[in-house]
Amino acid sequence: MKRIVCLLAALLALFAFGTALAAPLTYETVGVVLDAPENGGDLVCTPYAVNENGYAMLSFRFADEAALAPVYEKIASLGAEDLADYLPEYEAALSAHSALLAIVVAIEDPYLATVKEALGLEALGYKELPAAGNGFTYFAATGKVPATLAEESRPAAEAALAETERMIASIRYVAVDTSERDALRAFAAEAFLNFETTDMQGNTVTGRELLGAKDLTVVNVWQTTCMPCINEMPELAAWAKEMPGNVQLVTILCDVMDPEDATFATAEKVLEKSGAAFTTLLLSDSLYPAIMDVTGTPTTMFLGKDGRSVHAPIVGANVAGYKKVVADFLAK
C-alpha cells in the first residue's frame, strides 16, 4: 500500500476550502491547490509551520505503510532504553520504505534575489511556479526515488513520484478563510496563560507564571513513542543550559496525564538519560486546549509572555531551526 503525504515543514498538512485569489495577501492566507483525485478532488494546503530558513514549505513524502507497520508496532512496545537501542534499525527502516519526493517553498518577493543566491535554489533543481500574486514567489523541486529504497517499495514509490509531479504541475492558488485558524490561535494563547498542571517532579505549574518569567518560552511537545522526539532530547538538554537569561525551554509530555501512567517511568528514563534539567509538563485538562492544534510530534512553539506565538511552529525534530528562531527573536 502506498501513501503520498502532503506536509507543511515536515509532518503536517491542513486542509481548507477557499475562494478566488485576490492581492494583497500573505503566504498564510493563500492555499496551494493540488489536483488530488485520491483525496476526493482539490486539496488546499495552507501554511502552519516553516522550515529552518524561515520559509513556508510544503513537502511531499512517500511511505510504504504496510512495510512500516511492524516498525511502528515495535516502537509502541519498547521502553525508553530499548527505544534508544532501536534507533539505528528504525532509521534504516525509514530509509528503506519512505522517501521525500518533492518540496514547494514560498519566498517573500523583496528578498527573492538574495535568498535564491544564498540557498542556491536553481542549483538544487528548484523551478519557479506560476505567480500567486500575494507577494511571495513559489518554487518546486522534485527528486528521484532514492537508491536506498527497498525493492518491494520501489514500484509504489515510482507511482507516488509520478502522481506528485502531476499534482505540482496542477498547482494553482486560492485565498483561504483564516478566521477559524486565527480564532484557534487566540484560544490556544488564552489556554497557555490559564492552564494549571504538574511537572515531572509533581510541582504545580501555572501558565501565566511560567510564561511571565521569560521574554520567550520555547515549548517542545513530545511523546514517549516518538523516536525523533527522543533522539533530539540530549541536544535540547544541552541547548537549554546555554540559553540566555530571558529565554527558557519547556517541554510538554503529551501522552502522560498522570504519574501513575505506565509511560511516566519511560519518560523519566528518557529525560534522565538525556541529562535534561528543563521543566517538563504533564498534560492536563486545562493544558490540552493549548496544544489541540498539534497533530504531530515533535512540534516546537515559540511563545511570548502573552501566550501568543512569535513565530510559526516548527514541526519535526530540528534543533538548528529552533536555535535560529530564538537568535532572530533576540536580534530584534
Side-chain angles (χ1 to χ4, degrees), residues 5-50:
V5 188
C6 180
L7 299 167
L8 291 173
L11 296 173
L12 182 65
L14 301 181
F15 306 96
F17 291 98
T19 59
L21 182 62
L25 298 165
T26 68
Y27 77 80
E28 285 201 321
T29 59
V30 170
V32 175
V33 186
L34 306 169
D35 177 21
E38 291 186 3
N39 288 278
D42 286 346
L43 175 63
V44 183
C45 300
T46 62
Y48 171 81
V50 299

Side-chain angles (χ1 to χ4, degrees), residues 166-241:
R166 188 198 62 75
M167 285 196 292
I168 289 178
S170 77
I171 281 178
R172 64 188 193 279
Y173 312 96
V174 293
V176 294
D177 181 2
T178 64
S179 58
E180 183 176 345
R181 183 199 61 202
D182 293 342
L184 183 60
R185 287 180 177 177
F187 178 72
E190 189 70 18
F192 266 120
L193 286 177
N194 295 315
F195 78 79
E196 180 176 312
T197 189
T198 57
D199 62 18
M200 292 290 292
Q201 289 71 44
N203 303 308
T204 298
V205 180
T206 63
R208 198 172 298 273
E209 181 179 2
L210 179 70
L211 297 180
K214 304 290 181 179
D215 293 332
L216 179 64
T217 300
V218 180
V219 179
N220 177 270
V221 182
W222 68 289
Q223 56 186 329
T224 56
T225 56
C226 169
M227 290 295 289
C229 300
I230 294 170
N231 197 33
E232 74 170 353
M233 201 59 69
E235 197 173 355
L236 287 176
W239 179 40
K241 295 171 184 176

Side-chain angles (χ1 to χ4, degrees), residues 86-109:
Y86 186 61
L87 181 60
E89 187 175 341
Y90 167 77
E91 292 178 338
L94 288 182
S95 178
H97 302 292
S98 67
L100 176 64
L101 301 179
I103 293 174
V104 174
V105 63
I107 300 173
E108 197 169 3
D109 288 342

Side-chain angles (χ1 to χ4, degrees), residues 18-331:
T19 59
L21 182 62
L25 298 165
T26 68
Y27 77 80
E28 285 201 321
T29 59
V30 170
V32 175
V33 186
L34 306 169
D35 177 21
E38 291 186 3
N39 288 278
D42 286 346
L43 175 63
V44 183
C45 300
T46 62
Y48 171 81
V50 299
N51 65 11
E52 66 273 19
N53 293 310
Y55 306 112
M57 187 176 75
L58 176 70
S59 62
F60 299 78
R61 294 180 179 272
F62 162 78
D64 187 335
E65 293 180 327
L68 290 172
V71 177
Y72 296 139
E73 289 174 4
K74 185 169 184 178
I75 288 174
S77 69
L78 295 177
E81 294 182 3
D82 293 330
L83 274 174
D85 293 336
Y86 186 61
L87 181 60
E89 187 175 341
Y90 167 77
E91 292 178 338
L94 288 182
S95 178
H97 302 292
S98 67
L100 176 64
L101 301 179
I103 293 174
V104 174
V105 63
I107 300 173
E108 197 169 3
D109 288 342
Y111 310 108
L112 181 58
T114 301
V115 172
K116 281 177 66 177
E117 181 178 353
L119 299 183
L121 291 182
E122 292 179 356
L124 293 173
Y126 281 86
K127 297 181 180 179
E128 189 171 331
L129 295 175
N134 67 327
F136 284 75
T137 298
Y138 292 74
F139 294 84
T142 55
K144 298 180 179 179
V145 173
T148 54
L149 211 68
E151 283 300 320
E152 63 268 27
S153 295
R154 296 187 72 82
E158 294 284 1
L161 179 59
E163 177 65 7
T164 296
E165 292 173 339
R166 188 198 62 75
M167 285 196 292
I168 289 178
S170 77
I171 281 178
R172 64 188 193 279
Y173 312 96
V174 293
V176 294
D177 181 2
T178 64
S179 58
E180 183 176 345
R181 183 199 61 202
D182 293 342
L184 183 60
R185 287 180 177 177
F187 178 72
E190 189 70 18
F192 266 120
L193 286 177
N194 295 315
F195 78 79
E196 180 176 312
T197 189
T198 57
D199 62 18
M200 292 290 292
Q201 289 71 44
N203 303 308
T204 298
V205 180
T206 63
R208 198 172 298 273
E209 181 179 2
L210 179 70
L211 297 180
K214 304 290 181 179
D215 293 332
L216 179 64
T217 300
V218 180
V219 179
N220 177 270
V221 182
W222 68 289
Q223 56 186 329
T224 56
T225 56
C226 169
M227 290 295 289
C229 300
I230 294 170
N231 197 33
E232 74 170 353
M233 201 59 69
E235 197 173 355
L236 287 176
W239 179 40
K241 295 171 184 176
E242 302 169 354
M243 285 180 167
N246 61 338
V247 180
Q248 64 181 334
L249 172 67
V250 174
T251 67
I252 298 175
L253 183 56
C254 67
D255 60 346
V256 177
M257 296 187 71
D258 191 318
E260 299 300 318
D261 291 347
T263 48
F264 182 82
T266 299
E268 282 187 313
K269 291 178 182 177
V270 170
L271 294 168
E272 181 181 356
K273 192 170 184 177
S274 301
F278 48 73
T279 297
T280 293
L281 305 176
L282 304 186
L283 196 61
S284 67
D285 289 339
S286 60
L287 179 56
Y288 172 74
I291 65 167
M292 63 187 300
D293 197 30
V294 173
T295 60
T297 56
T299 290
T300 301
M301 296 172 280
F302 309 88
L303 307 179
K305 291 176 179 286
D306 60 358
R308 291 184 176 273
S309 295
V310 303
H311 189 279
I314 293 180
V315 184
N318 185 354
V319 178
Y322 315 155
K323 289 181 177 180
K324 185 177 185 301
V325 173
V326 172
D328 289 347
F329 174 84
L330 294 174

